[in-house]
Every structure is written in structure tokens, then in C-alpha cells.
Amino acid sequence: PTEPGPLDLNHATAQELTTLPGIGEVLAQRIVDYREAHGPFATLADAAAVKGISLRMTESWAGLAAANH
């Protein structure tokens, strides 16, 4: 089987987002809600605009997630 690529922050479901370090169900839903209200994230660091998510947290996702368009 092929290894899955990085999780796409702009298309992942809340359930998929919970696989990222530091992301539980509440933060995952906030990411989805923010994305729906503000449009896609340009970079992983943009997710730090979501309440409860820090820039350090987004840096820990390097290689695990991406902001694809």
C-alpha cells in the first residue's frame, strides 16, 4: 500500500484533523468552521488564526499536513 501524503488542511474532515498533534474534536471542528467562514488556508501557519491553535502547534505539523488549494 502507498503511504498517504500530508493531510490537506483545506479538505480534511474534522475526524481526519484529529490525527494531527494537539488537535482534538473541538479544535478540529474550529478548523473546519474557520475554513468555511474564511476560505482556504494559504499556509499551515495561517491555521494559527483559529482560536486555540498556536504557531508552534502548526509548526509541529510540518510533513504531516499541508495547505493545498
Side-chain angles (χ1 to χ4, degrees), residues 3 14 18-19 21 31 35 38-39 44 46 54 58 64 68:
E3 287 294 314
T18 62
T19 64
I31 291 171
R35 187 177 69 203
H38 301 279
L44 284 183
D46 287 352
S54 68
T58 66
L64 301 175
N68 299 326

Side-chain angles (χ1 to χ4, degrees), residues 13-31:
T13 65
Q15 184 171 359
E16 289 169 335
L17 290 167
T18 62
T19 64
L20 293 173
I23 300 298
E25 292 179 17
V26 171
L27 286 180
Q29 189 58 52
R30 283 188 195 158
I31 291 171

Side-chain angles (χ1 to χ4, degrees), residues 57-68:
M57 193 182 293
T58 66
E59 290 168 352
S60 75
W61 305 339
L64 301 175
N68 299 326

